[in-house]
Amino acid sequence: MNTKGSKFRTFYLSLFFVILYVPVLSVVLYSFNKSSSTAQWTGFTFDWYLQLFNDRVIFESFKISMVVAIITSTVSAIIGTASAVISSYVSKKVESAINGVMFLPLIIPEVALGLSLLIFFTELNLTFGVPTLVIGHSLFCVPYIYFMVQLRLQEIDSSIIEAAKDLGASSWQIVKTIILPLVIPSTLTGSLLAFAMSLDDVIISTYMAGPTGTTLPVHIFSMMRTGVTPKVNALSTLFLLGTFLLIGLNQTIGRKGEKFYEEN
Amino acid sequence: MKEQLLSLKKVNKFYDEAHILKDISLDIKDGEFITLLGPSGCGKTTLLRCIAGLESIESGDILLNGESIKDLAPNKRNVNTVFQNYALFPHLTVFDNIAYGPRIKKVTKEDEIKVKVDEMLELVKMEGYGDRMPHQLSGGQRQRIAIARALINNPDILLLDEPLGALDLKLRKYMQTELALLQKQTKTTFIYVTHDQEEALNMSDRIVIMNEGRILQVGSPRDVYNNSNSLFVADFIGDRNIKEVEVVERKEDFCSVKLGKSIIDIRTDRSMVKPNECDGKVYLAIHMDKMKISYDKVDNSLYGEITFVHYAGSQIRTEVDVDGEKVTVIEYQNDYDNYRIGDKVYISWEENGAILLPKEDIEKRGN
């Protein structure tokens, strides 16, 4: 009975991972395929990677993606953390109002969100490019950081704040010396998440890009229209590698932050 | 006589509808070790938080060195608190935790702060722990750091909110002695909140007994232990047999009361009830550990049958049925610890162990 159950579990889990990762693995594998077709394996090569590095357009769009992701994660970190800290100081009513506002961008379908931003920015006569991309991405990145920091804030023992007050700290000093240091790990993990989300966003970016702001995912998407070449595979592989690095970094920071709370 | 360090004047505190502190008045002298003792929910922690400034008061006044501090924010009052769960800053080292107060105030130079922190670490016997993080310390060690962090500010008063509550029994007893020593050493006024009477009796100069938002009795440990002024205090402090008895005769300094079929004399010089007030029914309270069992007849004693013997190592608790009333006697190991259930015995007591209390409680008499 028991072994039967565990066998089923093993089978189920294996199936899950096969379905999840085999396509990903094949993408990685075919990025090293000599033939430009994905139908058959004809030999090992780095050619597609070389082509990739020599492609000016891809390099430009990669640069835009990075710039947008860096600015977005920074801006979102500041706005998200500040809003979360502020929300802990206001009345319950105002706090739930802020929560509601933060939830909206997560609920509204991205297609609709992108479209409304497009119309709004056109009305404002804004030039589409990096700034509009940053605003668009921040819209859905801020809430993640906000909620992550808020969760952390709720974990902080209120007597720690009282102790600081008792020892002579003003409200601002408490924020600076106690609250911020305690939530920074959450802010960092949140902004890494924001970085990753900004980096691989397609929908909002498509609306916000304009002629000068084609991000890498948008470019990959357009490359697909002319058929898949192993160059796309190579690009995806690098993207994957970058994402894994980010996740690893995220985990390390997260674990460091956890330590403070272990016994509190 | 020195001026009062802290004066509470008719302090009242409400949470919504609930009246948490009712007309609390109390004077505390410099250098005293005062304990606020009472069951959970009696308002003792709230009173402490009002003194610290973490709670506001609705009416009355709090004077520190003669000046009202009731409207001052906690960071402007020269009192510091040791919290029940220590409340150390988890992201700061032990050193930085202790240095927090002086650094925030920005009046002391960093090299002076270092000297002071080292002094504090030595005071609480935690030298060499400056670089540790709070989560690397045991409960007792954290407690010491919390005390050091508060004391470095040279507070007029150190407020301690059940600081030993989370420690195990052995460590708690050890820390009691340490705390009392520390208080003598630093000559700082301590206001200590606890629900543990042993802690209170052990450490305090004076004990303030509270119940339901009121102060019932203020006195030295010996005073509140022996001369409890109300039924609540008598029941709360120490282990006592408390029985409703009938007054049969009133003399100048004692009353004769009837418990079961026995008529016994109780001296009234320590009691709240004076002979001329003895009227019908009163409460008799006798410390269990000031009673003695004997097989031979003794004057002024109760007579009954042993119904149960609890052997608890150093002490023996014997339950005796006195005409239907259960009387418990606590004796320490002696030669006569072979009581058998069913034995007929006499129970006597030390005179200072017995008091008479009025039927209605002191608070209801509007005292």
Side-chain angles (χ1 to χ4, degrees), chain A residues 87-98:
Chain A
S87 82
S88 73
Y89 275 91
V90 295
S91 68
K92 275 267 163 285
K93 246 187 182 164
V94 179
E95 190 191 342
S96 55
I98 300 177

Side-chain angles (χ1 to χ4, degrees), chain A residues 157 159-171 173-174 176-178 181-182 259-264, chain B residues 49 52 54 74-75 79-81 83 85 87-91 100-101 104-106 133 135 142 149-150 153:
Chain A
D157 189 340
S159 65
I160 289 174
I161 308 298
E162 288 186 337
K165 227 186 272 179
D166 187 76
L167 291 168
S170 63
S171 298
Q173 283 174 317
I174 291 173
K176 211 173 64 178
T177 59
I178 308 294
L182 285 177
K259 254 191 182 168
F260 292 155
Y261 299 91
E262 259 171 19
E263 302 196 33
N264 262 291
Chain B
R49 292 171 60 84
L54 299 168
N75 51 355
V79 297
N80 286 111
T81 311
F83 291 85
N85 56 356
L88 295 180
F89 306 126
H91 59 298
Y100 189 83
I104 277 292
K105 287 180 193 127
K106 292 177 183 158
M133 296 303 283
H135 67 84
R142 285 184 208 188
R149 184 181 67 174
N153 305 294

Side-chain angles (χ1 to χ4, degrees), chain B residues 348-360:
Chain B
S348 57
W349 54 91
E350 293 169 37
E351 275 191 338
N352 66 7
I355 50 171
L356 292 178
L357 296 161
K359 262 211 82 177
E360 76 268 33

Side-chain angles (χ1 to χ4, degrees), chain A residues 49-237:
Chain A
Y49 286 88
L50 284 174
Q51 273 195 35
L52 196 66
F53 289 125
N54 292 324
D55 190 328
R56 295 287 309 166
V57 185
I58 285 180
F59 184 70
E60 279 307 313
S61 58
F62 172 72
K63 233 167 63 183
I64 289 171
S65 272
M66 287 306 283
V67 168
V68 170
I70 289 169
I71 301 177
T72 299
S73 55
T74 312
V75 168
S76 309
I78 295 167
I79 298 178
T81 306
S83 320
V85 171
I86 291 168
S87 82
S88 73
Y89 275 91
V90 295
S91 68
K92 275 267 163 285
K93 246 187 182 164
V94 179
E95 190 191 342
S96 55
I98 300 177
N99 283 349
V101 171
M102 287 294 175
F103 254 123
L104 273 181
L106 306 181
I107 301 167
I108 299 174
E110 269 191 66
V111 178
L113 197 65
L115 188 65
S116 50
L117 282 176
L118 180 72
I119 295 167
F120 183 61
F121 290 154
T122 315
E123 288 289 315
L124 289 178
N125 264 330
L126 284 183
T127 339
F128 287 89
V130 173
T132 48
L133 278 166
V134 167
I135 297 173
H137 287 185
S138 298
L139 207 56
F140 62 82
C141 286
V142 167
Y144 282 101
I145 297 174
Y146 172 81
F147 286 117
M148 283 176 90
V149 172
Q150 198 179 45
L151 206 69
R152 203 53 134 192
L153 280 170
Q154 283 160 359
E155 284 173 351
I156 297 178
D157 189 340
S158 62
S159 65
I160 289 174
I161 308 298
E162 288 186 337
K165 227 186 272 179
D166 187 76
L167 291 168
S170 63
S171 298
W172 171 237
Q173 283 174 317
I174 291 173
V175 170
K176 211 173 64 178
T177 59
I178 308 294
I179 294 179
L180 284 183
L182 285 177
V183 300
I184 283 295
S186 300
T187 305
L188 283 180
T189 40
S191 58
L192 280 176
L193 188 69
F195 187 85
M197 286 193 304
S198 163
L199 208 58
D200 71 10
D201 177 74
V202 178
I203 302 173
I204 301 266
S205 303
T206 311
Y207 284 108
M208 293 293 105
T212 58
T214 308
T215 62
L216 195 54
V218 174
H219 185 67
I220 294 175
F221 205 66
S222 64
M223 280 166 79
M224 303 280 289
R225 278 185 219 141
T226 55
V228 187
T229 72
K231 206 157 91 175
V232 175
N233 286 18
L235 191 52
S236 305
T237 304

